[in-house]
Amino acid sequence: LRAVALLREQGVAMRLLVGGRGDQRAGLERLARELDIEDRVEFAGFVSETDKRTLFRRAWVHVLTSPKEGWGISNMEAAACGTATVASDSPGLRDSVRDGETGFLVRHGDTAALADRLRAVLQDPALRDRLGANARAFAARHSWERSADRTEAHLQALLVQA
């Protein structure tokens, strides 16, 4: 939200849609009011899987600024829809975004860096298209089946060694 406010001050046209109904929603809505960016932010609440895919396909960029994740599944979902991600360079997220290739990683909490990377993606259609295409190709290399096959092969190799 602070990056949205900074971008507004810099004259960058954008809208932010926040999906989910987590514990932080009331505080985020309050912050949007304090920053006077309510006209640029929509809190969508719960988003169905079908609607989420539609939103990812329409979005110019996906943003995930968690300090830590087990795995950036929503980054991969966005990537599968051809949408680049700007995310915190934090555990879990750095595994699901290839900095400069499928999106960008920024130091967690660095609002200026986040705004800078978002501005780049929002204002450069060629960059946005390149990142989105790379993201889609990256996501295509990952699947539950492929992960299961690799895990099985690894376990088989361990059994052979034993």
Side-chain angles (χ1 to χ4, degrees), residues 51-142:
D51 289 343
K52 180 170 52 171
R53 282 189 298 276
T54 299
L55 290 169
F56 277 144
R57 288 179 184 126
R58 286 183 30 212
W60 284 12
V61 64
H62 168 250
V63 183
L64 185 58
T65 58
S66 293
K68 179 176 70 168
E69 292 282 334
W71 170 251
I73 190 72
S74 65
N75 294 344
M76 295 301 288
E77 290 172 328
C81 293
T83 302
T85 292
V86 176
S88 292
D89 185 6
S90 58
L93 298 182
R94 70 177 61 106
D95 297 322
S96 58
V97 175
R98 298 290 177 248
D99 190 40
E101 181 184 334
T102 67
F104 293 110
L105 296 169
V106 298
R107 187 173 61 83
H108 181 72
D110 188 340
T111 303
L114 177 62
D116 180 62
R117 292 304 189 182
L118 288 171
R119 183 183 336 91
V121 176
L122 293 170
Q123 293 185 331
D124 186 341
L127 173 65
R128 188 169 55 247
D129 290 346
R130 179 179 61 78
L131 294 173
N134 290 344
R136 181 177 224 129
F138 178 67
R141 295 193 309 256
H142 295 81

